[in-house]
Amino acid sequence: MGAIDVYTSYVAAGAGALVGFGLVSLVRTDQPRIRQALNLYRWAFACLGTLAGLPLMPDAARASYLQLGIGFVGMGVALLAWAFRQLNGRRTSPVAGTVLTLITGAVLWAGAWAGDRHFVLTIGWVFTVLSVGLAVEQGWLILRSPRVSGAEMSLLGVAAGFALNWVVVLNHALTVPGPYPAHWLHAPAWLLPWSGLAIAILPLVVAAVVFAIVNERLSAQLRARALSDDLTGTLSRRGLRELGERMLALQLKPPRATAVLMIDVDHFKAINDLHGHLLGDEVLRHLAQVLRDHLREDALLARYGGEEFTVLLPVKLESEALRVAERLRRVVEGTPCKARGVSVSVTVSIGVAYHGRGESLDEGLARADASLYEAKRLGRNRVVCLPPPA
């Protein structure tokens, strides 16, 4: 690879960081975790952007400014690591994150004050520890995730390459004493062009990948909201139809089947008339939470309409669905809704049906609804199951 001017790489990195600052500033979200991560990215890119000021420095001040800038770059990388943790749901105390970021800059500036060899070794150690730690943690978080996007894998690749580069640079600093270059990137001759190129494009690549990841997550959240019920947080009827049809399409061969449970709050109109609609809303939220807490993760829970909820539940035996329905009925009966200074006893009627192979979702829902009607006719607060289709 041809020669690359390292100073030009530094300036390009600073300019790319400023572009990255503008890019992440374009993202708007009401999600606190993502908003905090974006704020950290902005601070990180602002620190990295100090390198863009190198051409503005007179020759006499350039060396000192570069040493100052390297300290800010270290802080920027520390902030990137913090932002990646935040974006992936790993909380770091604001005090701890701020202190570690400031210590990173202070260590680098102290190394510059201690002399050339100390500065080169400090640079090697600080950036190796930061980059390796970042790559290991991102790898652990991303590879453990059930869904890994292409953008996340790209980010992991960038982090791994950055870490490998600094491991080699640190080894060179430990084994090859001076002379040290004025740009302080004391790397092997064969690696220097690649290191310079990586430094030049790294901030812009990180900004683009982060922008893609955040957009993917915001799109997923918007989609989830479109499929969710605003009041209870369960699936909406639209969400039930979309995800329910998908569940039925993936239904395995017998003996596995899908049970359909229709759940209705008993005497809900009386609750509204006696306590008001606001308390009625609290009852629905309470019921949704109780059902969520006592259903398996593979069950789909939706608010079908009004005070009626629907559950799609994969089962192996028909008796399993009846046991689940009866357990839900008892739990709801034994867990009153306590809100707005009152305690309201809640019971439910549950109709159960089994989705037959080749049936549509609507057919299964209709038979579960017929079972629910029978449960209410027999006195409510009970479970009724229609036989499976012949």
Side-chain angles (χ1 to χ4, degrees):
M1 187 173 181
I4 289 182
D5 180 67
V6 177
Y7 281 109
T8 302
S9 297
Y10 288 160
V11 175
L18 295 179
V19 173
F21 181 93
L23 195 60
V24 298
S25 297
L26 294 175
V27 181
R28 294 290 182 270
T29 176
D30 60 354
Q31 298 296 313
R33 177 171 58 83
I34 295 180
R35 190 167 60 242
Q36 290 165 10
L38 290 172
N39 191 45
L40 291 172
Y41 282 123
R42 283 191 285 270
W43 278 105
F45 287 130
C47 288
L48 297 173
T50 57
L51 292 177
L54 271 174
L56 304 177
M57 294 296 108
D59 292 342
R62 182 171 298 176
S64 298
Y65 183 84
L66 180 56
Q67 290 178 330
L68 181 68
I70 289 173
F72 278 113
V73 169
M75 293 170 63
V77 174
L79 285 165
L80 286 178
W82 184 3
F84 289 141
R85 283 179 58 86
Q86 182 72 26
L87 190 61
N88 285 294
R90 300 288 294 273
R91 179 168 172 74
T92 300
S93 164
V95 174
T98 302
V99 168
L100 289 174
T101 300
L102 294 175
I103 287 176
T104 300
V107 167
L108 286 166
W109 291 323
W113 179 79
D116 291 357
R117 177 162 176 77
H118 284 90
F119 191 36
V120 167
L121 290 174
T122 301
I123 290 173
W125 277 112
V126 167
F127 284 100
T128 298
V129 169
L130 288 174
S131 60
V132 171
L134 176 60
V136 169
E137 182 172 53
Q138 287 305 299
W140 175 252
L141 291 173
I142 290 174
L143 296 180
R144 286 182 63 202
S145 174
R147 290 184 178 181
V148 181
S149 68
E152 288 173 323
M153 289 304 297
S154 298
L155 181 60
L156 180 57
V158 170
F162 188 61
L164 180 60
N165 174 82
W166 279 105
V167 168
V168 176
V169 171
L170 174 60
N171 180 69
H172 186 73
L174 291 170
T175 57
V176 181
Y180 302 111
H183 51 66
W184 301 111
L185 186 57
H186 188 52
W190 63 268
L191 182 62
L192 190 61
W194 296 104
S195 294
L197 179 61
I199 290 171
I201 66 174
L202 183 67
L204 197 55
V205 169
V206 170
V209 172
V210 167
F211 187 78
I213 290 174
V214 171
N215 273 343
E216 284 178 3
R217 296 190 180 181
L218 292 178
S219 296
Q221 288 172 354
L222 288 174
R223 180 169 180 75
R225 286 184 179 181
L227 300 179
S228 298
D229 173 62
D230 290 338
L231 177 64
T232 63
T234 64
L235 289 173
S236 62
R237 183 181 291 200
R238 173 186 172 186
L240 173 69
R241 293 195 177 279
E242 182 166 330
L243 299 185
E245 293 286 2
R246 191 177 306 171
M247 173 187 283
L248 297 179
L250 297 175
Q251 181 177 325
L252 301 177
K253 295 180 180 180
R256 288 191 67 85
T258 301
V260 184
L261 281 61
M262 295 291 281
I263 304 171
D264 189 79
V265 181
D266 295 330
H267 306 294
F268 185 69
K269 183 177 183 303
I271 294 174
N272 277 334
D273 291 344
L274 181 61
H275 300 286
H277 289 279
L278 291 180
L279 186 63
D281 288 346
E282 294 291 347
V283 168
L284 294 178
R285 277 192 285 263
H286 164 79
L287 176 59
Q289 188 59 53
V290 171
L291 296 175
R292 264 194 298 262
D293 290 343
H294 292 86
L295 283 169
R296 301 195 311 254
E297 290 186 1
D298 60 350
L300 292 183
L301 172 64
R303 184 183 178 198
Y304 197 68
E307 68 273 20
E308 196 169 25
F309 292 81
T310 302
V311 175
L312 297 186
L313 180 70
V315 294
K316 290 184 178 179
L317 300 173
E318 294 176 1
S319 58
E320 181 183 350
L322 287 174
R323 288 197 303 270
V324 170
E326 182 60 29
R327 175 166 53 85
L328 292 175
R329 186 198 65 79
R330 290 197 306 268
V331 168
V332 171
E333 185 179 24
T335 312
C337 173
K338 297 179 180 180
R340 300 182 177 272
V342 298
S343 178
V344 180
S345 296
V346 181
T347 63
V348 292
S349 302
I350 304 178
V352 180
Y354 299 96
H355 180 268
R357 296 188 64 79
E359 279 190 327
S360 69
L361 176 60
D362 284 338
E363 289 174 301
L365 291 170
R367 287 188 299 103
D369 197 50
S371 296
L372 173 62
Y373 177 82
E374 184 67 10
K376 294 165 72 173
R377 189 185 70 81
L378 293 174
R380 295 182 169 85
N381 192 23
R382 66 189 63 229
V383 174
V384 171
C385 178
L386 283 181

